Amino acid sequence: MSERQEPRRGRLPGLRRGYRSGPGPGSGSGSGAARPPAVAPWTRTRLRSAMGAALALVVLVLATTFIAAGFPRWYDRYQDGALHSELAKAGVSGSAVEAVAGFARDGTLTKLDDASTVSPSNLAAVRAKLAGILTEVPAETSGGSTGVHTTGVRDFLMDPGLARPEGIPPLMTLDWQDGEASRLKVVRGRMPQPPRAGTAAPHELEIAVSAATAGTVHIRLGQVLHLAPQRGSPVLLHVVGVYQPLNPNQDYWSAEPRLIAPVSTFTLPPTGGLDPASTWHVEALVAAGTVPYFPAVGTMEAYWWFLPQQGVLHAHDIPGLQSRLANVLTGDGQAAAKAPGAGFPQGQQFSSGLPDALTQFTSEADAIAPVLTVGLAGTAGIAGAVLLMAAGLAADRRDGELRLLRARGGSMPALGRRLLGEALCCTTPGAVAGIGLALLLLPTGRTLPALTAGLAVWAVATAAMPLRGLFRHRRIRAAGRPEDVTTARPSRRRTVAELAVVLVAVAAVVAVRRQGLVSSGGVDLLLTGAPLLMGLAGAFLLMRLYPWPLRLAARPSQRRGGAVGFLGLARAGRASSTASVLPLMALLLALTVAVFGSEVLSGIGEGREQAALAEVGADAQVSGTGAQIPAAVVAAVRSSPGVRSVLPVAQSRVQFPQNDAVADFYAVDPSGYRGVSDRVDGGSFPAGLLHYSGSGPIPVLVSADVAATMGSAPMEVQNDFGTFRIRVAGVLDSVLMGKNPFLLASSEALDAQPHASAAADAPLTLYVTGPVDGRALRSAVSRAAGSTALTVDLRTEALATLHGDRLSDGAATLYLATVLAGAALAVLAVLLSLLQAAPGRAALLVRLRTMGMTPRQGYRLILVEALPQVVAAVLAGTALGLAAVPLLGPSVDLSALVGVTVDAGLRATALPVLGPGLVLLVLAVAVVVVEAAVIGKRQIGVELRVGDQR
């Protein structure tokens, strides 16, 4: 059979089983035997004939596998970073494992021959023993600290010249830590020395204090401090040195932070009073040889701190770590530590705040997981829809070819093998590149979840097109006009499947409205998939309704002059159902998820703004700890750069005798308050509500609970402002000062009362608006305040603190990534759907150019043909996203993503609702315009060939 002869019926050259293209057995090179015709390889031929479609599939699989493999690794990196950040904020006491060994004051170390128990070498040996017990816990054996300190809680420094904030003398703790010499710098004097050898019970010891301690407590170099222990005789402490830590943030100092600076604490006075007050707690360093004499001061304790290894501490291993910690703290590890030895008759005892820190982190992460899963489920659904769309378009493009092969005898298994081989040539390189990029760019502690997700996407992408093609051609069909979008009739199976999806979507919405996104059993896929199910149900409904607007739009174009509108709408209606339905579903899913996700991100930003405003009250706040703000400070704040208005607020408290309820009572200037509240958009009220006529009860604005307590009748109250009668003039949800029970009155009305005190004009807080320069404002307040301790808080700093929280801010960033990934997949869906019909549109435009169509008419024709699908998806997707806000929004609690507790619910705003659809529409128009411009530059002979069926 020559190359031009037709093959026999049912014997396709490319589908013959066991076909050999080379010479048969026994045929020599010069035998002249007949050779079978050369047949081009199936896969190579198909890929070369549709190079653009093959490259598009490679890019699509690369993008989807990178997203699928990248998100688990990004999530692991985010959780590990958040865990390390939370442990760093908890400090050593909240994240490390501590072992302690106590001593009795009654003589455990009263003799020098017992000093070897607390010698550096013996303490190091005990540390090595404890480190061996902690092998199952990721604790650093080389980090942390080892030392001995006194534990008396009422050891006072009785010297009269020391700082006493509220009249109580400072507390003193003596400490020795191994390795302090290499971690500090002596700025004055020298490091302390031990007592002379042979001293039985010295009452004079040498100490060194930090520079911060010396400056705060007024300790001088060379001073002799008189320590009065809780029990025993007084001890003289000679200050021989002042040091400065080389790195105060080093973990070495975290175990004993008082070695860096004194800490304010509350204690009872040494005279035995019953009223606790604030004082300074000081800690001083001593020499290693001084430790044996600590019993002369009081009780003492040896300690060993073991820090967690950040490099091997992973969030996904928290359950296993908690189990191992429980064994160390309460099981075999604790029993091994308590074994006597090394001079410690009762051994050592482990304790740690790490289990509580891990439990707190897990609870916060569990609160974030449902909202994150909403974004991840949406992205997964969009990716699946786009992959199925690509498979459907590829099968639709090959429909005539596959029908011919089936009619000429091609079997289903042989056809499936060829289609699978062709798909593997496109999907495998893309999947390898996508997974490889994810593993390379996002290193983390585990690889299996990323590989599983990436391989799952690869499997779907590989099997989708062969299965679609085989299912479509499972029976041999005669050639005919393909089923278009206006004439397609869905099957009963498809109708039942669509109804099932709609019912599941309704059930998901009802469940979310009843219980929110959080389930008691963890992440509930029905709840978190509600936005995706809404989009899928809306897509099915839109696919049913889509032919109707096409028919309605085509009728007016039939009566109008010109063929552009009619021809474009006719071609849009005659597009194959696959080429119209699948892109429509992918675009609608992407837009619904993108609009809902944009609303979530907008709610996070708005929630943080409101939380920062609730914390500060205005752009800046100047306050003291119960002290009146001097008039000089008010004037200095008013003249600071960027300050627009300043509101002084006086504050007192009121107790209602009916139910013993307590509320804050604020005195303000009404006009000044309204000026500040209007600028920061919070706690405003109509003018005139606080106007006082000069007689009768004073009008006040109150919170709802105070209004319920007071009722409508006037009431007499008494506080620091005086005694007067008040009446409720209005109810506010909140004021600048917060949402706690409150009363707000005019300071002018209070001053007019005969029994008013000067406290109504003594502000305790200043609320400032304007683009404040924080550094300049703090400098001005510091200069004008003198000895008055005042604090300056900025709203920008409070907002930055919320943005700096690794757990909540990282979750918001991850959610943004899911929205952007969905948007990128939507862009790919638009490009694939438009490029699928590009060859047919190119041939049409070239033919019409031969009939006199102008380039401008060509642009209009392509736009009219391509845009109905995109416009329908944009309108329906925007409407569904907007509908999701009232349906699902009230049950969405964003507190975990904001970083503080906020009111649950979403609010629809213009940009998040309209933005994604407008961007997608502009992109589609740009692609069509570029396509028309490219087609217009081609030669007619390039596009039109004899026998071309486009």
Side-chain angles (χ1 to χ4, degrees):
M1 182 174 64
S2 66
E3 294 184 10
R4 295 182 177 274
Q5 289 178 325
E6 291 290 337
R8 287 176 296 175
R9 183 177 181 82
R11 301 287 291 174
L12 291 178
L15 298 177
R16 283 184 292 183
R17 201 181 285 264
Y19 182 81
R20 295 177 61 90
S21 59
S27 61
S29 59
S31 63
R35 298 173 60 117
V39 179
W42 168 283
T43 303
R44 185 179 66 187
T45 303
R46 293 308 310 158
L47 293 179
R48 283 183 175 180
S49 64
M51 185 66 69
L55 291 177
L57 182 58
V58 171
V59 173
L60 177 61
V61 173
L62 188 152
T64 50
T65 52
F66 176 76
I67 292 172
F71 269 119
R73 296 179 72 81
W74 193 352
Y75 184 76
D76 282 350
R77 288 166 58 86
Y78 144 69
Q79 284 224 313
D80 290 347
L83 175 60
H84 298 163
S85 176
E86 291 298 314
L87 294 182
K89 288 193 294 185
V92 172
S93 60
S95 62
V97 178
E98 182 189 19
V100 297
F103 301 92
R105 183 186 178 277
D106 56 0
T108 303
L109 292 176
T110 55
K111 299 180 181 180
L112 289 179
D113 54 5
D114 297 327
S116 60
T117 303
V118 290
S119 64
S121 59
N122 190 60
L123 294 177
V126 174
R127 183 178 183 87
K129 163 201 162 184
L130 297 174
I133 300 174
L134 295 175
T135 52
E136 295 184 357
V137 179
E140 296 180 355
T141 57
S142 59
S145 56
T146 300
V148 183
H149 59 193
T150 58
T151 57
V153 294
R154 292 179 55 77
D155 297 343
F156 292 98
L157 294 175
M158 304 306 296
D159 300 83
L162 302 182
R164 302 186 180 192
E166 295 184 3
I168 297 181
L171 295 170
M172 168 61 80
T173 295
L174 302 180
D175 184 273
W176 169 81
Q177 278 197 172
D178 188 23
E180 79 281 358
S182 61
R183 294 175 174 87
L184 57 81
K185 177 180 65 174
V186 179
V187 293
R188 293 193 300 274
R190 58 175 176 83
M191 291 301 292
Q193 298 294 326
R196 289 184 298 103
T199 306
H203 293 283
E204 295 188 19
L205 303 176
E206 293 185 354
I207 64 170
V209 297
S210 68
T213 299
T216 303
V217 190
H218 307 155
I219 297 176
R220 302 184 309 276
L221 180 66
Q223 185 177 4
V224 178
L225 301 177
H226 297 76
L227 177 64
Q230 186 174 359
R231 298 175 183 175
S233 305
V235 177
L236 301 180
L237 302 178
H238 294 266
V239 182
V240 298
V242 177
Y243 63 87
Q244 179 69 43
L246 297 177
N247 183 9
N249 297 322
Q250 193 175 16
D251 291 332
Y252 173 85
W253 300 102
S254 301
E256 300 290 328
R258 294 187 297 265
L259 290 174
I260 302 176
V263 176
S264 179
T265 185
F266 279 86
T267 187
L268 295 174
T271 56
L274 299 179
D275 296 327
S278 174
T279 188
W280 294 112
H281 193 161
V282 179
E283 193 159 358
L285 280 175
V286 300
T290 307
V291 174
Y293 303 100
F294 277 0
V297 178
T299 57
M300 55 187 288
E301 181 182 72
Y303 59 87
W304 298 264
W305 286 96
F306 296 87
L307 304 176
Q309 293 182 14
Q310 300 289 342
V312 298
L313 192 60
H314 301 292
H316 66 265
D317 192 38
I318 285 180
L321 177 59
Q322 288 177 321
S323 176
R324 296 191 296 271
L325 279 172
N327 180 58
V328 168
L329 299 178
T330 60
D332 296 339
Q334 191 72 275
K338 289 183 177 180
F344 295 96
Q346 297 180 349
Q348 298 79 38
Q349 182 173 359
F350 283 123
S351 64
S352 177
L354 184 57
D356 294 336
L358 294 177
T359 302
Q360 176 69 19
F361 173 82
T362 302
S363 63
E364 294 177 0
D366 289 344
I368 290 175
V371 184
L372 276 183
T373 309
V374 171
L376 293 174
T379 303
I382 297 169
V386 174
L387 288 175
L388 294 178
M389 181 198 75
L393 294 178
D396 190 56
R397 186 180 66 251
R398 305 279 295 281
D399 184 73
E401 171 193 347
L402 297 179
R403 185 188 299 114
L404 177 62
L405 291 176
R406 286 285 286 144
R408 299 181 70 178
S411 66
M412 292 286 286
L415 202 63
R417 286 194 299 270
R418 266 70 177 181
L419 292 176
L420 182 61
E422 182 182 338
L424 284 172
C425 290
C426 296
T427 59
T428 302
V432 170
I435 297 175
L437 283 175
L439 297 179
L440 180 64
L441 299 179
L442 299 169
T444 187
R446 56 178 180 170
T447 305
L448 183 59
L451 285 177
T452 303
L455 291 177
V457 171
W458 169 77
V460 171
T462 302
M465 198 269 282
L467 291 178
R468 172 66 177 173
L470 292 178
F471 180 80
R472 189 179 180 88
H473 298 283
R474 63 191 183 278
R475 297 185 181 91
I476 299 177
R477 298 182 289 113
R481 178 182 173 182
E483 197 175 47
D484 59 47
V485 68
T486 57
T487 61
R489 294 294 181 266
S491 65
R492 292 181 179 179
R493 292 179 180 177
R494 175 179 161 184
T495 301
V496 172
E498 291 176 355
L499 288 175
V501 171
V502 171
L503 291 177
V504 172
V506 172
V509 172
V510 173
V512 170
R513 290 185 64 85
R514 285 183 175 179
Q515 67 182 77
L517 294 176
V518 181
S519 174
S520 58
V523 176
D524 191 327
L525 294 181
L526 178 65
L527 302 177
T528 55
L532 180 66
L533 290 172
M534 284 185 61
L536 192 58
F540 289 150
L541 180 62
L542 179 60
M543 288 186 292
R544 296 274 184 167
L545 300 177
Y546 179 61
W548 294 95
L550 281 180
R551 295 192 186 105
L552 293 176
R555 289 178 181 177
S557 64
Q558 295 175 1
R559 307 187 193 95
R560 296 179 57 186
V564 173
F566 172 75
L567 185 58
L569 291 174
R571 283 182 57 82
R574 290 186 178 181
S576 70
S577 58
T578 301
S580 299
V581 168
L582 291 177
L584 205 62
M585 182 178 69
L587 291 177
L588 191 57
L589 280 178
L591 279 173
T592 303
V593 174
V595 170
F596 186 78
S598 299
E599 287 294 345
V600 171
L601 294 173
S602 176
I604 294 172
E606 184 178 346
R608 287 176 174 171
E609 290 284 350
Q610 293 177 351
L613 177 61
E615 179 179 348
V616 180
D619 295 319
Q621 179 192 116
V622 181
S623 59
T625 55
Q628 176 184 349
I629 298 179
V633 174
V634 179
V637 171
R638 293 185 189 277
S639 60
S640 296
V643 173
R644 292 176 180 170
S645 61
V646 178
L647 173 67
V649 177
Q651 179 178 353
S652 182
R653 308 206 79 183
V654 171
Q655 184 171 8
F656 298 101
Q658 301 96 315
N659 53 8
D660 293 331
V662 178
D664 295 319
F665 196 109
Y666 302 106
V668 299
D669 174 34
S671 60
Y673 180 91
R674 291 196 69 248
V676 173
S677 61
D678 289 342
R679 287 190 177 94
V680 298
D681 192 22
S684 183
F685 54 86
L689 283 182
L690 294 182
H691 176 70
Y692 180 59
S693 61
S695 61
I698 299 175
V700 294
L701 300 175
V702 299
S703 57
D705 43 5
V706 173
T709 301
M710 291 184 59
S712 57
M715 176 182 295
E716 183 175 295
V717 296
Q718 181 178 3
N719 59 11
D720 295 338
F721 297 159
T723 303
F724 33 79
R725 292 178 61 79
I726 59 174
R727 64 176 178 85
V728 176
V731 179
L732 297 177
D733 293 333
S734 64
V735 288
L736 295 175
M737 292 69 75
K739 293 185 177 182
N740 294 330
F742 63 85
L743 299 90
L744 188 68
S746 169
S747 55
E748 182 180 356
L750 295 177
D751 291 338
Q753 301 304 305
H755 302 289
S757 68
D761 292 326
L764 301 181
T765 309
L766 302 180
Y767 292 92
V768 185
T769 63
V772 179
D773 184 342
R775 181 176 298 179
L777 179 61
R778 287 192 171 96
S779 177
V781 169
S782 177
R783 290 194 303 268
S787 60
T788 304
L790 299 178
T791 303
V792 178
D793 298 314
L794 301 178
R795 183 164 65 161
T796 54
E797 293 179 350
L799 188 61
T801 301
L802 293 176
H803 281 288
D805 184 74
R806 289 289 297 273
L807 190 60
S808 60
D809 193 59
T813 303
L814 192 60
Y815 195 94
L816 174 61
T818 63
V819 174
L820 293 179
L825 293 172
V827 170
L828 285 176
V830 171
L831 294 176
L832 287 174
S833 61
L834 293 177
L835 294 178
Q836 165 72 13
R841 283 197 294 265
L844 174 66
L845 284 183
V846 173
R847 291 191 182 99
L848 293 178
R849 280 172 55 194
T850 63
M851 303 177 187
M853 175 173 281
T854 63
R856 179 175 296 180
Q857 290 176 324
Y859 284 116
R860 291 171 52 196
L861 175 62
I862 292 184
L863 286 174
V864 173
E865 177 187 350
L867 288 188
Q869 183 184 81
V870 179
V871 171
V874 167
L875 293 178
T878 303
L880 278 174
L882 185 61
V885 174
L887 289 177
L888 304 177
S891 303
V892 178
D893 188 0
L894 299 179
S895 298
L897 297 181
V898 172
V900 295
T901 302
V902 295
D903 296 333
L906 299 177
R907 187 178 65 180
T909 51
L911 184 59
V913 171
L914 301 178
L918 291 177
V919 171
L920 196 61
L921 189 60
V922 170
L923 176 66
V925 172
V927 171
V928 171
V929 170
V930 171
E931 178 188 350
V934 172
I935 294 174
K937 294 181 179 181
R938 292 179 180 175
Q939 299 295 326
I940 294 178
V942 175
E943 293 294 337
L944 299 182
R945 298 182 180 90
V946 176
D948 196 342
Q949 298 298 321
R950 289 180 297 172

